[in-house]
Amino acid sequence: MKISLITGILLGIVCIVGASIRSGFERETYWLFALWYNRLLMGFIIGAPWKTAGLKMALTRGAVIGFLVSFAFYSSIGFEDTTSFLAGVIYGIIIEFAAYKFDTRTE
């Protein structure tokens, strides 16, 4: 859980920096916070105590969770930031990979 949350927090920062640059630093603070919080939520969901899976299944799960969580934000902003939406799918894979890589659970 810790690895997923930390990765989500860090990727959320990367995401808001990218969104700020793309918008010419004209995005509202609440919008940027919602985007960061979306990545934190993604880390939380991916870090849930899922059944241990192989790498391929874990990465697929990360992509699906990234898609679903990012779609919630994307649809709430009127489908206007496709880049952040697609990045969310990639971030889901990255978070899941970090969680898989540093998993210390035993079966």
Side-chain angles (χ1 to χ4, degrees), residues 28-71:
E28 298 86 357
T29 304
Y30 72 86
W31 193 95
L32 294 172
F33 174 77
L35 184 57
W36 173 83
Y37 186 76
N38 181 268
R39 302 323 187 207
L40 173 69
L41 182 62
M42 189 183 305
F44 180 77
I45 293 170
I46 290 172
W50 300 100
K51 182 178 179 186
T52 302
L55 181 59
K56 184 176 178 180
M57 181 57 78
L59 297 181
T60 301
R61 180 175 57 207
V64 170
I65 292 171
F67 176 87
L68 293 172
V69 173
S70 293
F71 189 77

Side-chain angles (χ1 to χ4, degrees), residues 69-85:
V69 173
S70 293
F71 189 77
F73 178 77
Y74 183 55
S75 62
S76 73
I77 60 167
F79 306 99
E80 70 177 54
D81 190 1
T82 305
T83 302
S84 290
F85 169 62

